[in-house]
Amino acid sequence: MKSSADDLAVFTGIPAFGRQLHVGQPDVGSRGTLMRRIDGILDRHWLTNDGPCVRELEGRIADLLGVRHAIPLSSGTCALEIAVKALELRGEVILPSMTFVATAHALEWHGIVPVFCDIDPETHNLDPGRVEELITPRTTGIVGVHLWGRPCDVERLARVAARHKLRLLFDAAHAFRCSCKGRMIGNFGDLEVFSFHATKFFHTIEGGAVTTNDGELAERVRLMSNHGFVGYDAVGGLGINGKMNEISAAMGLTLCDDLERLVAANRRNYRQYKSLLEGLPGVAVAPYDETEQCNYQYVVLEIDERSAFITRDQLAGILWAENVLARRYFYPGCHRMQPYLSKYPDAAGRLPHTESLCRRVLCLPTGTSVGPEEIETIAGIIRIAVTDGRRLASRLPERLHSAGA
Ligand code: T4K
């Protein structure tokens, strides 16, 4: 482990790691199993359009989540877009701004006004009280995001939605294999949407899914994801190509076999970071509720610069100099990205917690590609950076101040 500030790369130019450590480096499970599945696909000459691997994955996801319908799709973004259409959202829809921009784009893309709502600073998720204040006669739905895989207040949001006859959609991109009050995420709201992008702990290279217990909605999602085809050459309505392909499904099936190993690695990393960084002034690791099922796929630091004497961006700069590619998800908040910044310039005024949190959060490398010794070194770098923050920050080359963008 590093012993003093003078050992750090910002002084010596030599990074602590000879390779880059990433936040979202994918695991591919058993390569032999994956290759056998891919061989089977090539032998069958059936590459997409409701093939056997996609069918099998559909069953595995539904069983794992205890949900009636799970529809694998080509990406989390496409799943969101189809969910928005299937729920017939229009007018205004309320959502958090601290999320990946795909959540907002899925609405704006369909001509819906995304109404950004502030979050609870403790949970980082939508504040249901604030949601209710933003409802107007034009509101048709609420999109909650289970940020970092930590569940939204699903019960309060459901009550708000029911009271105002609104649709409730959850962006569960981060929350695969997570539970809320003992029930798996995937079962809440009208529809839930997962991302199986390569950077997620469970992935299909590119991919996603919509889950629901509502048979009618599931049927609508299925039809929409296949151009609206209701028969061999009959089209019953509007649709798009949202289908998952067989190779992606093979990747997903292979990782399904290995899910507990992936979660165990994330859990071990999270606990190690937490115990090593505990008590460090101005540094907190966002907690998971370990009485629930968690996937622990994000290790999220909150930096309070008043006690840490270093800003989140300065810490990110130091980590990047050491080849630790920490990410400042989800900065600067969708409301500060285009087209939202130009279209809704007043949004920031009603988002004080979002504004503050977006400036303080930093995600650390985790997953199976990061081992205990590396975490010890990363925690050591953070400890030195915080202890010696002011001196280090003044030595930081200008280009490193914006690292992690
Ligand atoms: N809703 C939410 C709340 C989401 O977080 C997301 C996606 C979506 C919806 C949409 O779902 P998808 O349509 O993507 O299925 C990444 C992912 O592209 C995105 O899926 C994810 N959220 C978001 C949080 O992160 P970037 O721009 O940060 O990716 P990138 O290329 O910078 O990679 C992140 C890190 O992972 C880097 O350090 C490099 C490493 N990496 C990445 C890839 C792709 C690897 O080591 N290997 C790889 O193959 O967006």
Side-chain angles (χ1 to χ4, degrees), residues 213-281:
N213 287 306
D214 181 325
E216 214 179 295
L217 274 177
E219 191 50 25
R220 209 179 291 170
V221 169
R222 278 183 212 286
L223 294 179
M224 282 183 168
S225 66
N226 186 25
H227 313 279
F229 273 104
V230 289
Y232 191 69
D233 47 15
V235 171
L238 197 61
I240 193 171
N241 181 1
K243 292 167 279 144
M244 181 180 279
N245 71 72
E246 285 288 278
I247 306 274
S248 283
M251 181 78 257
L253 286 170
T254 306
L255 289 176
C256 268
D257 298 339
D258 233 358
L259 220 48
E260 294 317 306
R261 177 180 64 83
L262 304 175
V263 173
N266 285 342
R267 186 192 300 118
R268 182 201 66 212
N269 293 349
Y270 159 74
R271 287 179 180 165
Q272 192 187 353
Y273 273 123
K274 209 165 162 44
S275 82
L276 290 171
L277 296 173
E278 203 114 77
L280 201 56

Side-chain angles (χ1 to χ4, degrees), residues 20-26 74-80 98-104 145-148 171-174 193-200 203 205-208 298 320 325-327 329-330 369 405:
Q20 295 185 328
L21 301 185
H22 295 280
V23 169
Q25 187 144 50
S74 55
S75 69
T77 300
C78 193
L80 276 172
M98 192 173 171
T99 177
F100 191 57
V101 72
T103 321
V145 179
H146 305 299
L147 203 72
W148 323 127
D171 179 338
H174 303 171
V193 164
F194 293 91
S195 164
F196 301 148
H197 183 263
T199 51
K200 303 292 183 295
H203 69 91
I205 306 173
E206 290 278 1
Y298 291 100
W320 274 57
L325 306 192
R327 292 298 295 258
Y329 291 136
F330 288 99
S369 64

Side-chain angles (χ1 to χ4, degrees), residues 77-93:
T77 300
C78 193
L80 276 172
E81 305 265 349
I82 291 173
V84 164
K85 271 287 187 204
L87 292 173
E88 298 177 327
L89 297 181
R90 58 192 185 285
E92 295 174 1
V93 170

Side-chain angles (χ1 to χ4, degrees), residues 83-161:
V84 164
K85 271 287 187 204
L87 292 173
E88 298 177 327
L89 297 181
R90 58 192 185 285
E92 295 174 1
V93 170
I94 298 167
L95 76 163
S97 174
M98 192 173 171
T99 177
F100 191 57
V101 72
T103 321
H105 281 351
L107 299 168
E108 184 76 26
W109 193 264
H110 293 288
I112 296 162
V113 177
V115 177
F116 296 114
C117 177
D118 212 1
I119 47 176
D120 176 332
E122 290 295 312
T123 65
H124 303 185
N125 285 326
L126 268 185
D127 177 340
R130 300 302 320 271
V131 168
E132 198 148 22
E133 290 167 16
L134 292 173
I135 293 171
T136 73
R138 281 174 48 77
T139 310
T140 58
I142 302 166
V143 181
V145 179
H146 305 299
L147 203 72
W148 323 127
R150 303 192 307 179
C152 290
D153 190 337
V154 291
E155 286 172 357
R156 277 184 71 199
L157 286 174
R159 280 200 296 274
V160 172

